[in-house]
Structures are given as structure tokens and as C-alpha cells.
Amino acid sequence: MPIGSDKGSFIKPGFLPLTVGPSSKRFIWGSNVTGRLGDGTTTNYSSPIQVGTDTWTHLESMYNAGGGVKEAGTLWMWGAGASGRLGNGTTTNISTPVQIGALTNWLNVSCGYSTYAVKTDGTLWSWGYNLHGQLGTSNTTSYSSPVQVGALTNWLSTASSYQFALAIKTDGTLWAMGNNTRGQLGDGTTTARNSPVQIGSFTDWLSIACGQYTSFGVRSNGTMYSWGFSGTGQFAPNLGQSRSGAPNSSAPTQIGALTTWLAVSAGNYNMLAVKTDGTLWTWGYVFSGANSPVQVGSATTWTNKISAGDGGTASTTMMAGIQSDGTLWTWGFNESGQLGLGDTVYRSSPIQVGALTTWTSVSAALGAVQALGTA
């Protein structure tokens, strides 16, 4: 969740404020199929390029599309328009950012097969694919324009994946909606939900992330939890539970006993998390093959600005993270130049992207990467 300027802040007593993140320029690289990078082309790039001169406070990459919020509080979307997930009233692919409505009070956006956005007034909006009720609108109707989810005004942030979504309220409670075949909603069942259902009774959730059929969360006491699909084969790498042949979990289960976790990011094949001591950890199929978190290198300067780079296939899987000195690092597969290193060569460990020390956020998915920084 972004922190920084108090522009447009919305504060509820008792827990977390809604705050707009710091403003920076938008940089893109990697795969540009369907115009998912939003530069008006479908050209791949193997090094970061700045797009325009507008300033942005939030960016999101996901499933052949992207979205973001500009400094003025306007919401923009681009890429694949299937099922209306761009929110502009059509299902057409668009390679240049299109403004969604005329409002100037958008805070953040998350994009899966469906799209979710929170306004600075604490309202939650959704649109796009809705076969499993993942829009939370109490039905299974898909929408090509934003529809408000209920009438509450205390939503803080969302995380979305293929057919489900998680959300945190300003009181620190966790909610979920959508497909639940693997228990990924975390409500103790495998029943799909077409409106938000509260997950457990904790009131201190800070960070949430969704993989394809898995969910993760970090609480303010530094504990980390996982639930949903455990993975296939002998081990259970998805959930990070260190258990051979572990079953799926339909309720949040703590990963280990540590109380030093800060943030988590999830992809289809690999997960990434950072601790309060600045160390970085990963688990999953592709890079570590580990069924519990293993440390990435020895650096102790990683921030909570991390992205597991969700890959539709193992060959598009990559990871990215920002260190405390403002440098950006990437590693993994690189077939579309998504590592931003000027080539398409695989890297097994983090490599610095360029020489900039002003990166503030990064979001990667399906070989497409967006980041905020200042040249």
C-alpha cells in the first residue's frame, strides 16, 4: 500500500490511513503484446524507456493489461480489453492509456482478469470478468465500466488474480470474493463468493498478494500466512509451508513462526517476501524449487517495493525489487527483455537495472514491467 504525500488522504480512526503515493515518471520495458505497456505500440523493449512526462502515483501490471493513477487522481487503463476489464465501456484492446471517467479521486488499482480500484473516499469499485462473482457485486454479470462494490467507505487496498480478489479495509480486516475451488479465498470453504466475505477475525492485515490459486498476507505483528492451492508433486512450494505432500489450505495458515515479515508478492510459480531486516526471500517452483522461504543473496537493503513478476508460463517468470538506495534489480527469465538489462539473457540472481537511484515502485506480469522513477 502506498505511503507518502497526504494529498487526498482519507483517515479512519483506529487503523490505516488512505494516502496517495509519491509522484514519479512512468518507465516501461519487456513484452508489449496487446499494447500492455501502454506506449501506443506493440514493440518489446529490453531496456527501460520513459513514457511521456506525466507524473504518476500508482502503477499496476497484470495479465496483458496495465493501469495507473496520475498525480491529479485520474485513473488510466491500457492493453487487452477482454470482458471490459479496461473499464472504458468497450472490450477493445488499447495500446495508449485511456482515462476512465472524469473523476480525480482515485487512489490505487489492481488488475487481474478483472479490475479493482479504491478511491480516496474509501469506496471500492470493480469491472471486467465476473464469471465467479469476483467483482463482488452480488451477481455474475461482467461490466465494462466501474461499478461500486456495496456502499462502504472504508476500503484501503486490493490484490487480484485470475478469478478472485482480496481486499483490506482501513480497520485492518481482510475480505475476499470470487472463485474458491482451491480454498484461495481463505474462508474455510471451497464455495465461490459473489460479494466480499471477511476472512477470519484479525484486524491487523498489512500486505496481501494473490497467485493463480494461492493467497498470502502479512500482519502488523510480522507474521506471514498463506492459503489456497499447495502445488503439485511431492512438495508444496506454493504455500511455503515446508510440508511434503501438503494438502490445499482453505484458511490462512502461518508460515513458520517468524515475526519479522514486512511484505509479500505472489506469482503463478514463485513468491517473494521481504523481512524487516531488509533481507529478501523466495520460494516456489521456478527459481529456488523450495517449499519454504530461502534467502536471495545476502543484501539487507531490500524495501517492500517488490514484484514476483507473475508469469503465465514458467518461461515468462521473473522478479524485481527496489533497494533502500533507490536502485532497481531484476532476475529470472528474459525472453522479451523483461529484465531491462538490454538483452534477453536469463539471470539467476539480482542484477541492477541501469544506474538510476530514484526508483519508487515496480510492477511486473507476463513479461511486461512498469516502474516509477525519475531520470
Side-chain angles (χ1 to χ4, degrees), residues 222-236:
T223 55
M224 180 163 62
Y225 293 75
S226 63
W227 57 100
F229 182 48
S230 67
T232 57
Q234 180 181 3
F235 298 105

Side-chain angles (χ1 to χ4, degrees), residues 258-339:
L258 296 178
T259 58
T260 55
W261 295 106
L262 177 64
V264 61
S265 178
N268 285 0
Y269 298 93
N270 251 62
M271 320 306 158
L272 198 60
V274 64
K275 291 183 180 179
T276 53
D277 62 4
T279 57
L280 188 64
W281 299 74
T282 188
W283 63 97
Y285 288 117
V286 179
F287 301 128
S288 67
N291 65 356
S292 61
V294 295
Q295 189 171 349
V296 178
S298 59
T300 59
T301 52
W302 295 100
T303 70
N304 63 349
K305 307 301 182 181
I306 55 175
S307 178
D310 188 26
T313 64
S315 63
T316 60
T317 300
M318 52 86 67
M319 292 189 167
I322 297 174
Q323 295 195 16
S324 58
D325 61 0
T327 55
L328 173 62
W329 301 70
T330 60
W331 64 103
F333 289 95
N334 196 22
E335 63 182 11
S336 300
Q338 61 260 41
L339 298 186

Side-chain angles (χ1 to χ4, degrees), residues 185-210:
L185 298 188
D187 66 344
T189 77
T190 55
T191 302
R193 307 291 182 179
N194 63 15
S195 61
V197 57
Q198 185 171 350
I199 307 307
S201 58
F202 294 137
T203 59
D204 60 349
W205 293 100
L206 288 179
S207 172
I208 50 175
C210 302

Side-chain angles (χ1 to χ4, degrees), residues 97-121:
V98 57
Q99 186 173 350
I100 308 306
L103 298 177
T104 59
N105 63 339
W106 295 102
L107 178 68
N108 55 52
V109 61
S110 67
C111 318
Y113 279 178
S114 314
T115 306
Y116 307 82
V118 176
K119 292 182 179 179
T120 54
D121 62 4

